Amino acid sequence: MTPRTTPYEEKRRAATEQRLRAALTARAALVTPHGLRPGMSPHGPARGARRRRAFAFAVLGAAAAVVAVCLLALLPADRPSPVPAPVRPAGPPAVTEPPPPRPATPTPVAPEPLPDTPAVEPS
């Protein structure tokens, strides 16, 4: 279904189309055989640049590999393991009691001397 247009809109559309055709005809008149250039190749003008870029990336990757191998060779061999040690599961909390009091060590008591008594001689 075509939308209904008024005569005014049709006149406007015809005038716009006429001006557009005149502009395109004038532009086409400016084109001469001397202004034309040869057609572009299907791969575009940057084909050589792509080859150089690909070669540069390949050289860059090889250099990175050489640097990585040199670093691995120069680093010490006793590196820590990348795998962490297993963690023991948490046990019940330890009950800490104060240590039992130590018994006082008895100091040796020397026998007290007896009072002076007359010595008894055996008979």
Side-chain angles (χ1 to χ4, degrees), residues 1 14 35 50 64 67 75 87 96 100 102 115 123:
M1 183 172 194
R50 284 189 202 136
V67 168
L75 290 178
V87 178
T96 56
R102 292 178 51 190
S123 22

Side-chain angles (χ1 to χ4, degrees), residues 28-80:
L30 294 176
V31 177
T32 63
H34 299 292
L36 297 177
R37 61 178 177 217
M40 294 176 53
S41 68
H43 297 290
R47 186 171 184 193
R50 284 189 202 136
R51 282 186 184 169
R52 283 180 287 194
R53 191 178 314 139
F55 180 73
F57 279 130
V59 169
L60 188 64
V66 168
V67 168
V69 168
C70 289
L71 285 176
L72 288 175
L74 294 176
L75 290 178
D78 55 340
R79 300 187 285 277

Side-chain angles (χ1 to χ4, degrees), residues 6-16:
T6 62
Y8 174 74
E9 289 175 345
E10 287 179 18
K11 271 187 183 178
R12 253 180 89 191
R13 192 173 292 155
T16 303

